[in-house]
Amino acid sequence: MSCAGADPRIAKQMEADMRRRFLISLVLSVPIFFYSPAAINLFGLKLASPIPVNWLLLILTTPIVFWTGSIFITGTYYSLKARQLNMAVLIATGVLAAYLFSVLLTAMRPDSETFYEAAALLVTFVLFGHWMEMRSRRGTSDALRALFDLVPPKAKVIRGGREISIPSAEIIHNDIVILRPGDKVPVDGIITEGESSIDESLVTGESIPAAKTAGNKIVGGSVNQTGTVKFKAMQVGSETVLAQIIKLVETAQNSKAPGQRIADKAAGWLVIVAIGSGFAAFFGWYFGAGAELLTALTFAVSAVVIACPDALGLATPTAVAVGTGIGAKYNILIKDAATLENVSRINAIILDKTGTLTEGKPKVTDVVAFNNFSEHEVLRYEASLEAGSNHPLAKAIFEETEKRGALPLKPMENFESIAGRGLKARIGNKIILAGTEKLLRDNNIATENKRDILERLSGEGKTLSLLAVGGIFVGVVAAADPPRPNSKKTVAALKNMGLEVVMITGDHTKVADGIGRELGINRVFAEVLPADKANWVKKLQGEGKFTAMVGDGINDAPALAQADIGIAIGAGTDVAIETGNIVLMKSDPYDIVAAIRLSKATVVKMKQNLFWAAIYNMLAIPVAAGVFYNSLGWSLRPEIAALLMSASSIIVATNAVLLKRVEPSLRQ
């Protein structure tokens, strides 16, 4: 009867059905109550009836039991068929016991006191509890509903040489789709014509609209901002990134946390305890204490009803549904409930440097010139040698040269690439070298007189390209892969949580140590090949640490799989959704902190709910069974027991929804 994790449209229909059943049951229960013995005993109220009262109560109660309450009876049938005991069995047992006993009394002794109001109000209160539970849990699907709404109902495509409008679900591979300003992108594809800026924030979390031209990929669910473009549909239906995200969230909300397995076992035993308590109460009062049949049955039905483990069954699923929904809202996709719970156990975390802590794109940070050369000349010579190279450092040098206005490039001859050392060419009548210090030394070019500059720059974790012109060392260009804006803040926050933070990279040790010092990371694994990263994860696990690995989800796949918790970080269609236990759709490392905080807050709610549900049942069953009736006068009629049982379920569901209050603190 839960709606969390389902298609929001189906969940809405389920809630509407539950509301309808409750309202019909309520309308019929009002006269049942006022004609019942309970109203006479409480208010001295005795209304006139056109037919004998018990026959009138039978007529009004029957549709409640077999129509509005039919979900409990059919649920019991399927449960018993599967040889399982659940809350539907308890409710149906209580309702049918009260109803059938009342029918028997009506047939045999028409004027006797009956239980019709107990059966009717029991169904009404339980339906009300489930309706309120669905309303409470409906809020957990906000992020999922928002994702469904990102897909436009209609799209414009070109077929047969003309533009037509079709449902987005009918788009097929290689369809040419037309996007005008303000249109939502219906499926994933590649732009074939036009240019525009696309707002992908609702899908990827990137706040700045991305400029798109022919050949660029676009993601379904994003919004076209400015120009008109045409694109070829490449992924449709369940293949799209958005569909995979929706599936991921649905799977997470429907999965079970480790704590839920314990709760399920406890709930199963509690059903047995409840039924046993009912029989014990009946036999104890009727045969042991010599109470009247009606009194004994009252205690028995109350004990069965109030012991329903509904609240225990809701304790963790509601918290999981809310937690995964909050994560999806903030572009933190958590694959299952076990991950959501286990993230709170992390005590060591390995962060891949490139693309996680850094931008993944080197930038020139320093240009140092000497021997009568200017910085512009150093850049121009470097860029001339690097021209045409796809190496990230070459691109960085060219961009800096262009930015500083040091173009045009110098024509070169006899170009030569020296593996692991650098580049060599002739410009004019001079030999030009650009690369490592070893390259210059191998060509008998002195660098010792600039040792202080070289050590300072390399000590800062920068990659150096030394330039020699005509056998003279004339300058150095330093580049670095700059840390992401939130990297230092992320490391500090993780340390404050008590986690050991480790950085792993394939970079040279000196470069890696420089980045580590800048970010405040004391333990660095450097010069590690991608295939060996998993071994370093094992090393931490071998030290007894529950270890998380954070990487780009593609090159780091073996390490992510080895880790206790794998966290893939990346933006848009470049993220490998299948790789980690958690996917951070944005490229912001601080989302790691948010994910851990969300996990810890969710686990707290799970424990609160389990405690409340367990304590409630431990205290309620003895009271309902009449254990304290003779000593303290405490007793509960079945309808009151049903009200309290429903209230406990609502409290648990509402407490889980209060998890939303953690949202403002996730990224503080």
Side-chain angles (χ1 to χ4, degrees):
M1 298 174 198
S2 163
C3 62
D7 183 323
R9 292 161 291 195
I10 297 175
K12 190 174 182 179
Q13 295 172 2
M14 292 171 62
E15 183 189 335
D17 177 65
M18 193 63 67
R19 179 180 65 246
R20 181 170 54 252
R21 288 174 181 272
F22 162 68
L23 292 176
I24 293 172
S25 185
L26 178 64
V27 169
L28 293 174
S29 293
V30 170
I32 291 173
F33 175 76
F34 283 113
Y35 275 105
S36 70
I40 297 173
N41 296 333
L42 290 173
F43 308 115
L45 187 64
K46 193 167 185 179
L47 301 178
S49 173
I51 60 175
V53 171
N54 279 345
W55 287 104
L56 176 63
L57 295 176
L58 173 61
I59 293 171
L60 293 173
T61 304
T62 300
I64 294 178
V65 173
F66 295 105
W67 181 24
T68 61
S70 62
I71 54 175
F72 305 119
I73 297 173
T74 56
T76 297
Y77 169 76
Y78 288 113
S79 176
L80 295 178
K81 188 177 180 181
R83 297 182 180 181
Q84 295 177 346
L85 295 176
N86 57 22
M87 62 155 292
V89 175
L90 296 185
I91 296 171
T93 300
V95 169
L96 291 176
Y99 174 79
L100 294 175
F101 183 67
S102 298
V103 171
L104 183 63
L105 287 176
T106 300
M108 297 178 61
R109 297 162 51 189
D111 296 329
S112 63
E113 187 174 330
T114 59
F115 267 144
Y116 286 117
E117 83 282 0
L121 292 176
L122 175 54
V123 172
T124 302
F125 288 143
V126 174
L127 289 174
F128 176 74
H130 282 297
W131 177 37
M132 288 295 100
E133 172 209 331
M134 286 183 171
R135 282 174 57 89
S136 298
R137 298 184 70 185
R138 183 178 58 183
T140 69
S141 299
D142 287 345
L144 199 56
R145 279 199 302 274
L147 291 173
F148 274 103
D149 292 341
L150 290 180
V151 180
K154 296 276 189 178
K156 297 178 180 67
V157 301
I158 297 176
R159 288 185 181 173
R162 62 190 183 92
E163 179 183 326
I164 60 173
S165 179
I166 63 171
S168 295
E170 295 180 8
I171 296 175
I172 60 175
H173 292 104
N174 298 321
D175 264 342
I176 299 299
V177 184
I178 300 174
L179 287 180
R180 294 187 170 86
D183 286 351
K184 289 182 178 179
V185 182
V187 296
D188 299 353
I190 297 177
I191 293 178
T192 58
E193 183 181 327
E195 57 183 51
S196 182
S197 60
I198 306 288
D199 180 1
E200 300 178 332
S201 59
L202 291 175
V203 181
T204 68
E206 297 299 317
S207 58
I208 301 175
K212 302 284 186 177
T213 59
N216 290 150
K217 294 180 180 180
I218 55 176
V219 185
S222 50
V223 181
N224 185 30
Q225 294 283 294
T226 52
T228 297
V229 298
K230 296 178 181 178
F231 74 92
K232 181 187 289 188
M234 303 301 291
Q235 286 84 36
V236 300
S238 61
E239 302 168 349
T240 66
V241 170
L242 183 59
Q244 292 180 63
I245 293 172
I246 290 172
K247 182 180 178 181
L248 199 63
V249 177
E250 286 179 328
T251 301
Q253 293 194 340
N254 286 319
S255 62
K256 289 187 177 183
Q260 177 62 22
R261 299 188 186 99
I262 299 174
D264 286 345
K265 289 182 180 179
W269 282 106
L270 193 58
V271 171
I272 297 174
V273 170
I275 294 175
S277 298
F279 279 111
F282 178 80
F283 287 111
W285 280 100
Y286 187 69
F287 294 106
E292 294 183 359
L293 181 62
L294 198 62
T295 300
L297 191 61
T298 299
F299 285 125
V301 173
S302 296
V304 169
V305 170
I306 206 165
C308 283
D310 198 17
L312 193 63
L314 290 173
T316 62
T318 48
V320 167
V322 176
T324 52
I326 292 172
K329 180 178 178 181
Y330 287 91
N331 299 100
I332 300 169
L333 304 182
I334 300 166
K335 287 196 170 181
D336 51 50
T339 296
L340 181 62
E341 183 173 339
N342 287 333
V343 167
S344 64
R345 298 172 53 202
I346 295 172
N347 49 32
I349 186 164
I350 300 178
L351 304 170
D352 182 54
K353 180 186 80 70
T354 305
T356 300
L357 291 172
T358 65
E359 298 284 356
K361 181 181 178 182
K363 294 180 181 178
V364 172
T365 58
D366 303 85
V367 179
V368 182
F370 24 83
N371 289 329
N372 298 319
F373 267 66
S374 68
E375 292 182 5
H376 273 52
E377 287 180 301
V378 171
L379 277 174
R380 188 177 291 119
Y381 274 107
E382 283 271 2
S384 297
L385 262 67
E386 301 281 6
S389 172
N390 288 322
H391 191 279
L393 181 58
K395 291 183 178 180
I397 291 173
F398 185 83
E399 287 175 2
E400 186 68 17
T401 304
E402 187 177 39
K403 177 181 175 183
R404 295 197 185 194
L407 298 174
L409 302 178
K410 293 178 177 290
M412 61 179 177
E413 299 174 337
N414 303 327
F415 176 81
E416 182 182 355
S417 177
I418 304 169
R421 299 288 186 268
L423 306 172
K424 181 180 181 180
R426 177 182 294 276
I427 296 179
N429 60 357
K430 295 180 179 179
I431 298 296
I432 314 299
L433 299 172
T436 64
E437 186 176 5
K438 190 173 191 317
L439 174 67
L440 270 62
R441 288 202 306 267
D442 288 347
N443 286 271
N444 300 315
I445 299 172
T447 59
E448 290 302 321
N449 58 335
K450 302 299 180 184
R451 174 61 49 201
D452 57 336
I453 295 175
L454 298 179
E455 289 185 352
R456 175 178 63 80
L457 292 174
S458 61
E460 292 171 356
K462 297 172 181 176
T463 301
L464 308 184
S465 178
L466 283 62
L467 177 69
V469 178
I472 300 173
F473 182 26
V474 298
V476 58
V477 176
D481 183 6
R484 294 188 183 277
N486 278 335
S487 291
K488 191 170 185 178
K489 179 182 177 183
T490 299
V491 172
L494 292 173
K495 283 185 171 182
N496 287 337
M497 291 179 178
L499 275 64
E500 179 180 359
V501 181
V502 179
M503 186 179 79
I504 193 167
T505 178
D507 286 349
H508 188 277
T509 300
K510 190 174 287 187
V511 174
D513 287 342
I515 293 291
R517 283 194 300 272
E518 183 179 351
L519 298 179
I521 300 175
N522 300 321
R523 194 173 185 184
V524 175
F525 300 150
E527 301 181 41
V528 179
L529 296 175
D532 293 333
K533 289 182 178 179
N535 293 329
W536 290 95
V537 175
K538 288 181 183 178
K539 176 178 174 61
L540 282 186
Q541 291 173 323
E543 296 172 7
K545 297 181 175 70
F546 193 83
T547 305
M549 169 70 194
V550 186
D552 63 13
I554 301 170
N555 296 329
D556 301 312
L560 291 171
Q562 175 62 42
D564 297 299
I565 299 291
I567 303 176
I569 184 170
T573 55
D574 294 330
V575 69
I577 291 179
E578 292 82 8
T579 306
N581 305 104
I582 297 177
V583 178
L584 307 179
M585 293 300 290
K586 294 191 291 185
S587 296
D588 186 349
Y590 203 68
D591 282 342
I592 301 167
V593 177
I596 295 174
R597 286 175 175 166
L598 178 60
S599 172
K600 289 180 179 293
T602 303
V603 169
V604 168
K605 285 298 177 187
M606 289 180 185
K607 291 178 178 178
Q608 288 175 350
N609 283 353
L610 287 170
F611 175 80
W612 164 256
I615 291 298
Y616 166 81
N617 281 291
M618 288 175 60
L619 297 178
I621 292 176
V623 174
V627 173
F628 304 106
Y629 181 68
N630 288 332
S631 58
L632 300 174
W634 293 356
S635 66
L636 291 173
R637 284 188 61 83
E639 61 268 30
I640 303 302
L643 179 61
L644 292 176
M645 186 271 289
S646 299
S648 70
S649 299
I650 295 170
I651 289 171
V652 166
T654 302
N655 186 48
V657 172
L658 290 177
L659 179 59
K660 289 187 175 184
R661 294 164 64 181
V662 77
E663 288 186 40
S665 64
L666 290 180
R667 295 183 53 81
Q668 284 182 353

